[in-house]
Amino acid sequence: MDMSQYLEVFIDESKEHLQAINEQLLELEKAPENMEIVNEIFRSAHTLKGMSATMGFEDLANLTHQMENVLDGIRNHKISVTSEILDVVFQAVDHLEAMIMSIAAGGDGKRDVKEVVEQLKRIEQGEVPASLAEQSSNTSSVPLAQTYGEFEHNVLQQAKEQGFSVYEIRVKLRADCLLKSARVYMIFEALNEAGEVIKSTPPVEMLEEEQFDQEFLLAVVTKQSAEQLYERLMKVSEVEEVDVVPLDMDKQKETGVAQAAHEAALEQQAATVQEKREKTPEKNTVVKQTAAANKTIRVNIERLDILMNLFEELVIDRGRLEQIARELNHPELNETVERMSRISSDLQTIILNMRMVPVETVFNRFPRMVRQLARELGKKVNLEIIGAETELDRTVIDEIGDPLVHLLRNAIDHGIETPDVRRASGKPEEGTVKLKAYHSGNHVFIEIEDDGAGIRREKVLQKALDRGIISQQGIANLTDKQVYELIFAPGFSTADHISDISGRGVGLDVVKSTIESLGGTVTVDSEEGKGSIFSIQLPLTLSIISVLLVEIQQEKYAIPLSSIIETAIIKKEDILHAYNQQVIDFRGKVVPLVFLKDIFEVPAAAEEEEAISVVIVRKGEKMAGLVVDSFIGQQEVVLKSLGNYLTSVFAISGATILGDGQVALIIDCNALIK
C-alpha cells in the first residue's frame, strides 16, 4: 500500500498531537495529581504511536511506546510526577518533534534516542531522574549492570561448552583521561587479541562517542585466565581500575527470567488499563463526538495563496469596471457594476477570513520555552496567555514568531528577577509575564508585559551616551518614553554580561525593523521596580489595503488610511517656520510639513495655488503633514511589491494598479516621520 499520499496528513496530525502533549505536560506540572491530564497525554501519545507504526516509522513508534510506559506508570500511581521526570519526557517530545521535522524535510525520521530511552526505562522501573543525575556524576557509587538477551545468552553458553571462559570486566578510566574513546579502542584491541568482546554497557556507539563517565562493562569470551586479562588491560595507559569476574550463566538466566517476568507484568498492567479504558468509553466518546462535530477541512496554504492572487486581479478589474461605469453613466451598467462590487466585497471578506489564523499557532510554543528558560536561569515565571484566539493574516503570523521570542526572552532574562531578589523587594517569588493579543479597528495588538525590575532610565541614558547613540545635549528634553525607545537602537544593550539568552545588543533593533516591515509598530513603556510592557501594533492583512489616492502634478500616489488622521486645506499664509522647517498649527500642535513633490522629485508642470492640500499622518505619537496637489478619493487597492530591483526606494512600500490601468506608488508614511 502506498503510504506517501497520507504523509502530509500524518505530519500535520503528528505536529498537532505533539503540541497537545507539550501543552498538557505543562498543565500536568501545575496539577500533578490530575489523572485526566495524564489520560489526555496518553491518548495523544497512543494515537501518535499508532500512526507512526502504520506509516512505517518504527523509531518514532518505539520512542512513543517508551514514553507511554512512563505515562502509564503515572496514571497507575506507580510513578510520581516531578519536574525532573517531566524534563525527561520533554526531552523525548523534543526528539519526536525532531523526527517529525526530519520526515517533513524528506528525511527518514531516524535519530539517536538511546540515552532518553534508557532514562525513560529507568523511570519506568521506579528510579527518579535525580538519582540518575547522581549516578551520572558519581558512577562509582552505583555499579553498572549488564543484562543479556536470549541470543547473547546462547552465544555465551555455547562458548562455555566449547571450553572458553566467560568474564564480565568492569573497566574504570582515570578521571583526567582526555581521549576516552582512544582508550576504549585500545582496550577493545587488547581484548580481541585474547578473545572476543560479546557485549558492552554502554553500547559501543556510546563508548566511541565518549557518552559515558569513567566506567564501562564488557562481556568477553576467552581462553585466557582472569589474571592474564587483568594484566593485559592494566598495561593500557590511563586505566585506573580493572575488575575481572567470571560470569555465572545460570544466575544471569535467572535474572533474565525475572526481567522477562517483570516486563510481562508491566504488559499485563497495560492490558488491564486498556481494558478498563475500553469499558469506560463515555468520555472518549464525547471527545470523538466533539472532534466529529468540528466541521473543518485541511487546505494547502498554496491553494489559498493562488486564490488570493486571483482575487487580487479581480479587485483590479473591479476598479477598472467602476471607472468605466462612471464614465459611461449607463443606468443598467451602473446597477450591474454596483451589484458585482457588493458580491466581490463579500467574497473578499470570506477569502481574507480563510487566510486568518489564530495567533495561538505562534503562542502555543511559548509556555514550553518560558519553562525551559526559567529553569535555566533559576527563576520562577508564570506565563499568562490572553486572547490566543485573536486572528491574524497567515503572512503576518509567519513573520511575527521570532520578534515575540526575542521579547519574551528579554522579559525573562532582564525583566523578571530571581526569587530571592523578588522576596527582598516585597514581590511574590513567582514573576508573571502576560502575553496578550486583541483586535482594535483594522489592527491587532500584541502586548508582552512583565512585573519584573523594569527599565532603569539612568542606565539606558548612560549606555546610549557611551555608545554614541545620543549626545549629552540631546538627553535634556527626553521624556521617559523617548528614553526607553533608545533600547531599539542598533547595538544597544544594558546587559552587564553576555549570555546565551541575551545581552549582545543585536535583538531589539531587529525586532523593530521586522515589525515595521510588516507595516506595524512597537513601543515600550516601563516603570522601574514594577515592570515593562512592549506593545506591538500589526495590520490585519498585508494584501489588500484601503488607501487615499492623491495627485502630485500628473502622478498618482496612495497613502494607507491606517496612517491618516485627517485631510486639510491650508492657506499659504498659515504656514509657519520653526527650526528651519515649514510647519502648521494643527489643533494646537506643531506639525512639520513634508512636500512630497520634493521628496519624490516630481517635475513641476502646474502653477502653485494659494492653498495647499495636506494629509495629516501619524507614526505613534509623532505626526507630519504630507503636502500633495489634490485628493482623488478613497479606494481599496492590492499591494504589489516593487520586486527585487527596487527594494531600496525611499518611502515607497509598494505599488498598485488602478482601475484606469495606471500604476500608483504606495507611500510608506513611517519612513517619512522621524
Side-chain angles (χ1 to χ4, degrees):
M1 186 178 176
D2 180 18
M3 290 292 180
S4 59
Q5 58 181 317
Y6 305 115
L7 188 62
E8 212 168 294
V9 176
F10 164 73
I11 291 167
D12 285 345
E13 291 195 1
S14 297
K15 285 180 181 171
E16 284 174 11
H17 283 297
L18 286 173
Q19 183 56 43
I21 291 173
N22 261 323
E23 288 170 5
Q24 295 295 334
L25 282 172
L26 290 168
E27 290 298 315
L28 184 62
E29 192 168 32
K30 293 176 191 167
E33 300 301 323
N34 190 338
M35 287 305 116
E36 186 53 38
I37 297 175
V38 180
N39 287 332
E40 286 289 332
I41 302 169
F42 195 94
R43 276 195 282 272
S44 289
H46 194 70
T47 309
L48 183 60
K49 184 179 81 169
M51 290 194 310
S52 308
T54 308
M55 294 297 292
F57 299 113
E58 291 301 327
D59 286 0
L60 200 65
N62 291 339
L63 179 56
T64 320
H65 176 72
Q66 202 53 54
M67 201 170 82
E68 248 185 18
N69 288 348
V70 171
L71 293 169
D72 198 35
I74 292 173
R75 67 180 183 175
N76 288 319
H77 303 289
K78 291 177 181 169
I79 300 171
S80 300
V81 177
T82 64
S83 293
E84 289 74 19
I85 285 178
L86 289 181
D87 280 345
V88 177
V89 181
F90 273 127
Q91 275 181 39
V93 175
D94 284 345
H95 282 298
L96 291 172
E97 282 176 342
M99 289 170 164
I100 294 292
M101 294 310 288
S102 163
I103 294 166
D108 56 5
K110 290 191 179 297
R111 193 173 170 85
D112 183 4
V113 293
K114 285 176 187 163
E115 193 177 344
V116 72
V117 166
E118 193 60 35
Q119 284 182 311
L120 289 170
K121 281 182 179 172
R122 289 182 193 175
I123 292 170
E124 185 192 344
Q125 288 164 7
E127 290 187 40
V128 291
S131 66
L132 294 175
E134 286 164 15
Q135 192 174 5
S136 61
S137 62
N138 184 17
T139 51
S140 60
S141 61
V142 183
L144 284 171
Q146 193 152 255
T147 54
Y148 300 91
E150 190 176 349
F151 173 75
E152 289 152 346
H153 189 271
N154 289 339
V155 169
L156 295 173
Q157 191 64 44
Q158 284 174 16
K160 206 167 185 179
E161 287 168 5
Q162 291 170 14
F164 287 89
S165 299
V166 181
Y167 296 104
E168 202 166 72
I169 305 174
R170 184 177 66 85
V171 181
K172 185 178 181 184
L173 300 179
R174 275 177 21 202
D176 58 352
C177 176
L178 293 177
L179 294 169
K180 293 194 291 186
S181 58
R183 301 302 161 213
V184 169
Y185 175 78
M186 292 167 73
I187 289 164
F188 271 68
E189 278 292 295
L191 289 175
N192 283 329
E193 285 172 8
E196 190 176 351
V197 179
I198 301 299
K199 184 166 184 177
S200 71
T201 301
V204 179
E205 294 82 8
M206 290 177 70
L207 292 176
E208 286 175 348
E209 291 172 8
E210 302 191 355
Q211 291 178 7
F212 68 103
D213 289 318
Q214 266 74 47
E215 279 189 9
F216 54 92
L217 275 180
L218 300 168
V220 180
V221 292
T222 178
K223 289 199 172 177
Q224 292 196 355
S225 65
E227 291 74 20
Q228 287 172 315
L229 289 178
Y230 176 83
E231 287 172 9
R232 187 180 277 270
L233 293 181
M234 286 306 288
K235 286 178 185 171
V236 178
S237 58
E238 297 189 300
V239 170
E240 186 175 285
E241 280 180 32
V242 173
D243 190 11
V244 185
V245 182
L247 190 61
D248 186 341
M249 298 306 299
D250 294 334
K251 192 176 174 184
Q252 280 299 325
K253 194 168 184 178
E254 285 172 12
T255 309
V257 170
Q259 179 71 18
H262 176 65
E263 286 175 3
L266 289 174
E267 283 181 11
Q268 181 62 38
Q269 286 168 7
T272 310
V273 170
Q274 181 69 20
E275 194 179 341
K276 281 181 186 172
R277 195 165 66 239
E278 284 168 1
K279 282 180 182 174
T280 54
E282 292 82 5
K283 279 187 178 175
N284 293 350
T285 310
V286 171
V287 172
K288 281 176 188 170
Q289 283 172 351
T290 309
N294 195 7
K295 293 178 181 174
T296 57
I297 57 164
R298 290 176 190 277
V299 179
N300 192 320
I301 188 68
E302 286 176 7
R303 292 188 185 179
L304 286 182
D305 286 341
I306 294 168
L307 183 62
M308 191 67 190
N309 285 335
L310 288 173
F311 184 75
E312 286 172 1
E313 298 299 324
L314 195 63
V315 169
I316 293 169
D317 287 338
R318 181 181 71 187
R320 174 79 177 136
L321 266 180
E322 284 171 346
Q323 182 156 349
I324 292 170
R326 275 197 300 272
E327 288 169 4
L328 295 179
N329 199 20
H330 190 284
E332 285 188 17
L333 179 61
N334 281 337
E335 189 183 329
T336 308
V337 169
E338 199 176 308
R339 181 172 161 73
M340 200 201 81
S341 296
R342 277 203 305 275
I343 293 171
S344 63
S345 292
D346 292 345
L347 187 60
Q348 177 180 331
T349 307
I350 290 170
I351 293 176
L352 287 178
N353 282 339
M354 282 165 66
R355 291 177 54 84
M356 289 292 181
V357 181
V359 286
E360 185 182 21
T361 53
V362 179
F363 285 7
N364 58 20
R365 60 175 151 140
F366 295 144
R368 172 78 193 283
M369 184 193 83
V370 169
R371 175 189 184 272
Q372 185 75 23
L373 269 182
R375 283 178 70 81
E376 282 175 15
L377 295 168
K379 296 179 179 180
K380 292 183 179 177
V381 183
N382 175 39
L383 176 68
E384 283 183 25
I385 293 180
I386 302 161
E389 69 285 353
T390 309
E391 291 184 328
L392 258 176
D393 189 277
R394 167 69 190 238
T395 44
V396 182
I397 287 276
D398 286 345
E399 299 293 329
I400 197 62
D402 288 345
L404 289 180
V405 166
H406 194 91
L407 291 176
L408 278 172
R409 289 167 76 93
N410 258 11
I412 296 165
D413 193 20
H414 298 313
I416 301 294
E417 312 94 328
T418 52
D420 51 337
V421 174
R422 290 181 68 86
R423 252 196 326 272
S425 52
K427 293 181 179 178
E429 282 189 4
E430 188 177 66
T432 301
V433 176
K434 284 184 187 169
L435 183 59
K436 185 177 175 185
Y438 57 94
H439 275 138
S440 178
N442 280 329
H443 290 87
V444 166
F445 288 82
I446 299 177
E447 293 176 356
I448 298 108
E449 182 180 2
D450 68 74
D451 65 347
I455 300 173
R456 288 172 56 193
R457 189 180 193 278
E458 297 310 315
K459 191 172 182 179
V460 171
L461 278 176
Q462 191 56 50
K463 289 276 182 183
L465 279 172
D466 293 347
R467 291 175 182 270
I469 295 169
I470 193 168
S471 66
Q472 188 69 44
Q473 295 77 20
I475 64 173
N477 298 320
L478 288 182
T479 62
D480 286 351
K481 204 157 184 173
Q482 286 170 323
V483 172
Y484 301 143
E485 297 283 337
L486 292 172
I487 64 175
F488 291 108
F492 188 90
S493 174
T494 55
D496 296 323
H497 63 277
I498 293 171
S499 68
D500 291 341
I501 296 160
S502 56
R504 293 184 187 277
V506 292
L508 285 178
D509 63 316
V510 177
V511 168
K512 191 179 184 190
S513 60
T514 306
I515 290 168
E516 286 181 349
S517 71
L518 293 169
T521 57
V522 56
T523 56
V524 58
D525 202 1
S526 182
E527 191 172 348
E528 191 171 341
K530 293 195 174 175
S532 307
I533 178 165
F534 286 81
S535 182
I536 299 170
Q537 180 182 345
L538 292 164
L540 272 178
T541 180
L542 301 179
S543 303
I544 298 176
I545 55 172
S546 296
V547 297
L548 173 68
L549 284 175
V550 296
E551 206 165 34
I552 303 168
Q553 302 296 339
Q554 299 298 317
E555 296 181 4
K556 287 175 183 169
Y557 290 83
I559 303 173
L561 280 188
S562 57
S563 299
I564 298 175
I565 300 175
E566 67 178 75
T567 56
I569 305 292
I570 306 288
K571 290 179 182 173
K572 282 200 171 175
E573 58 261 32
D574 292 335
I575 297 176
L576 309 170
H577 287 79
Y579 299 103
N580 296 323
Q581 193 173 3
Q582 295 187 60
V583 299
I584 54 170
D585 180 359
F586 175 70
R587 303 190 197 285
K589 289 185 178 176
V590 177
V591 176
L593 292 178
V594 178
F595 289 82
L596 293 182
K597 66 177 181 182
D598 297 335
I599 298 284
F600 300 126
E601 298 177 1
V602 184
E607 289 184 7
E608 292 191 0
E609 297 178 359
E610 287 303 309
I612 57 169
S613 303
V614 179
V615 183
I616 311 291
V617 294
R618 71 174 170 194
K619 176 188 175 187
E621 299 292 318
K622 299 176 185 173
M623 292 192 291
L626 307 184
V627 181
V628 300
D629 287 349
S630 62
F631 310 124
I632 297 174
Q634 184 182 329
Q635 192 171 329
E636 282 195 334
V637 298
V638 178
L639 178 63
K640 299 277 187 185
S641 76
L642 293 177
N644 295 332
Y645 293 108
L646 296 171
T647 50
S648 57
V649 178
F650 175 69
I652 296 294
S653 59
T656 188
I657 302 168
L658 301 176
D660 57 2
Q662 283 190 48
V663 172
L665 295 174
I666 298 169
I667 295 171
D668 178 8
C669 298
N670 289 336
L672 293 170
I673 305 173
K674 294 178 181 172

